[in-house]
Amino acid sequence: MSNTYSVCASCESINRVDTDRALAKVPTCGKCGKDLPMHSLVSEVSAAGLKKLLAKADRPVIVDFWASWCGPCRSYAPQFEAASKSLRDAVFVKVDTEKNQALASELGIRGIPTTIVFKNGKEYRRESGVIPEAAIPSLVR
Ligand SMILES: [Zn+2]
């Protein structure tokens, strides 16, 4: 059994969710009961949600910074989701840079997709562009 974290889009509670259960059915928030914003084992988070998560997570957090208008981001999403299923000792999240522009500029993100790995709340590694699924696990090492 393994678990991951998701941040509720309604009440911003951090939920610890069982990965096998999350893959079978979209999990709901333990606090308010709404569906958690998860696709596969990837959670959509806001800037505030990401900061909460980074303060709490006891394992690497891998963030895909993307936007809906970005073609390469759309081709990257399935690879990122596939990696979330094989690398279960990390938390996978995505941040929409259109909706969270202040965070994107705070982090100095110039192009998307950009993948940033955080360890102990601090940036550990950053890669831009589409990363093949098989290469994603090496980012946390
Ligand atoms: Zn909630």
Side-chain angles (χ1 to χ4, degrees):
M1 277 225 318
S2 63
N3 56 60
T4 188
Y5 293 101
S6 184
V7 186
C8 178
S10 300
C11 74
E12 280 191 356
S13 295
I14 294 187
N15 284 255
R16 188 191 282 259
V17 296
D18 180 86
T19 52
D20 289 325
R21 259 188 251 164
L23 287 170
K25 185 177 180 290
V26 175
T28 53
C29 174
K31 194 170 180 192
C32 74
K34 297 254 171 65
D35 281 356
L36 292 172
M38 294 186 82
H39 305 276
S40 190
L41 295 176
V42 180
S43 296
E44 277 180 57
V45 294
S46 64
L50 178 65
K51 283 180 178 168
K52 270 188 149 179
L53 183 64
L54 290 177
K56 164 105 184 171
D58 52 5
R59 64 197 84 173
V61 177
I62 307 180
V63 191
D64 168 18
F65 291 90
W66 72 291
S68 58
W69 50 262
C70 158
C73 296
R74 285 195 292 272
S75 66
Y76 181 41
Q79 317 222 35
F80 194 69
E81 287 182 11
S84 74
K85 291 189 239 178
S86 53
L87 187 66
R88 300 218 187 162
D89 50 0
V91 179
F92 283 73
V93 298
K94 58 198 295 179
V95 171
D96 186 332
T97 55
E98 281 280 289
K99 293 181 189 160
N100 299 281
Q101 290 183 6
L103 176 68
S105 80
E106 187 185 314
L107 291 171
I109 290 166
R110 289 187 194 87
I112 47 172
T114 287
T115 305
I116 301 183
V117 177
F118 292 89
K119 282 188 177 179
N120 302 313
K122 296 204 173 67
E123 180 170 336
Y124 173 73
R125 192 148 172 203
R126 175 186 299 220
E127 289 288 329
S128 34
V130 174
I131 304 164
E133 177 199 341
I136 293 173
S138 69
L139 297 178
V140 303
R141 280 179 215 125

